[in-house]
Amino acid sequence: MALTPLPEDWTRALCVAAHPDDLEYGTASAVHRWTSQGRHVSYLLVTRGEAGIDGLTPDECGPLRAAEEVEGASRVGVTQVDFLDEVDGAVVYSLDLRRQLARVMRRVKPDLVVTGHFGLAWGPGPGGPANQADHRAVGLATLDAARDAGNRWIFPDLLDEGLEPHHVRWVAVVGTPTPSHSVVIDEADLEAGIASLEAHGRYLAGLSTPTDVRAFLTRTAEDGGPAADSRYAVLVELFDT
């Protein structure tokens, strides 16, 4: 049975991730679909990924990876990319992180917030490859901050900054083993998503295991297709807020 299509009666989305390149492993293809439809999508990266390349110091790596993220975002029609500058590898779930995320949500005013899987492991069953600590902290904080953004009595100091509450309608989690909704993408969306990940050239070159970007993203999109009665799809778990 096909999953329910993701609602499309919205105009603004905010995509939140822990590191540069996180959004490029599938989400970017859906982003290209949305920007091609004239929707406004912005990115928020909690870190600059400065601990992500073994052969580069954080001072060298952070600016490089941030630049790759800006370039990758541009390839799917995103021109607004912001960074919170938390420490890569040391992000913790906290009230302060929720406050920072809620601040951006009140400023950007998204209808839809998109983030990554924040469970303990990847894969459909128990066990599997462990999820990274920053992913878990950022994903859960994003889900909670989406509700915080609409409550004036949570983080009232944001009111002093002139940021009135904003109601986020949905949070979509990509990469979850329990998807509830689908985003159909086409060949052009997939190609744009591939180009977006390929923009992270220095990062990809530094991985201990080489990644065939085209093969990986094509297989992921094809794996999602049957749940949407289409050739390609991005699957998400959708939460009302």
Side-chain angles (χ1 to χ4, degrees):
M1 180 180 296
L3 296 177
T4 303
L6 186 79
E8 293 201 326
D9 57 332
W10 56 271
T11 58
R12 299 179 67 84
L14 172 67
C15 299
V16 182
H19 316 106
D21 88 286
D22 287 354
L23 294 170
E24 282 66 52
Y25 283 92
T27 304
S29 291
V31 169
H32 184 264
R33 170 187 169 90
W34 298 330
T35 59
S36 297
Q37 294 171 330
R39 305 176 197 275
H40 181 274
V41 182
S42 57
Y43 282 5
L44 177 64
L45 286 302
V46 173
T47 79
R48 293 180 183 261
E50 66 272 12
I53 301 178
D54 185 64
L56 294 178
T57 67
D59 286 347
E60 296 172 304
C61 185
L64 184 152
R65 294 200 68 198
E68 288 187 335
E69 180 59 35
V70 171
E71 173 59 26
S74 73
R75 295 183 182 186
V76 291
V78 174
T79 58
Q80 182 178 345
V81 181
D82 295 313
F83 298 86
L84 291 184
D85 290 325
E86 291 293 304
V87 177
D88 184 15
V91 180
V92 294
Y93 178 96
S94 65
L95 287 175
D96 181 64
L97 180 58
R98 282 169 51 186
R99 179 186 289 105
Q100 291 186 69
L101 294 169
R103 176 183 289 114
V104 175
M105 292 175 196
R106 290 190 184 190
R107 188 178 72 238
V108 175
K109 296 181 171 54
D111 307 298
L112 172 69
V113 169
V114 182
T115 193
H117 174 52
F118 49 85
L120 292 177
W122 300 102
N131 198 357
Q132 199 263 356
D134 290 353
H135 297 161
R136 302 197 312 268
V138 169
L140 184 57
T142 297
L143 181 64
D144 291 341
R147 180 165 288 176
D148 298 336
N151 188 329
R152 72 175 56 252
W153 305 123
I154 299 176
F155 310 131
D157 51 306
L158 296 180
L159 297 173
D160 298 333
E161 298 176 22
L163 295 171
E164 288 292 323
H166 169 72
H167 175 60
V168 175
R169 295 171 67 186
W170 305 286
V171 175
V173 180
V174 181
T176 171
T178 53
S180 60
H181 290 68
S182 64
V183 180
V184 172
I185 59 173
D186 61 19
E187 193 79 34
D189 300 324
L190 176 59
E191 288 297 323
I194 291 169
S196 186
L197 181 52
E198 288 176 339
H200 295 264
R202 288 290 300 278
Y203 173 73
L204 293 169
L207 295 176
S208 57
T209 302
T211 298
D212 185 331
V213 169
R214 177 170 295 277
F216 176 83
L217 291 181
T218 299
R219 182 174 66 253
T220 301
E222 288 176 339
D223 287 348
D229 287 334
S230 66
R231 183 178 180 187
Y232 304 126
V234 176
L235 306 185
V236 307
E237 185 170 8
L238 193 67
F239 294 90
D240 293 330
T241 58

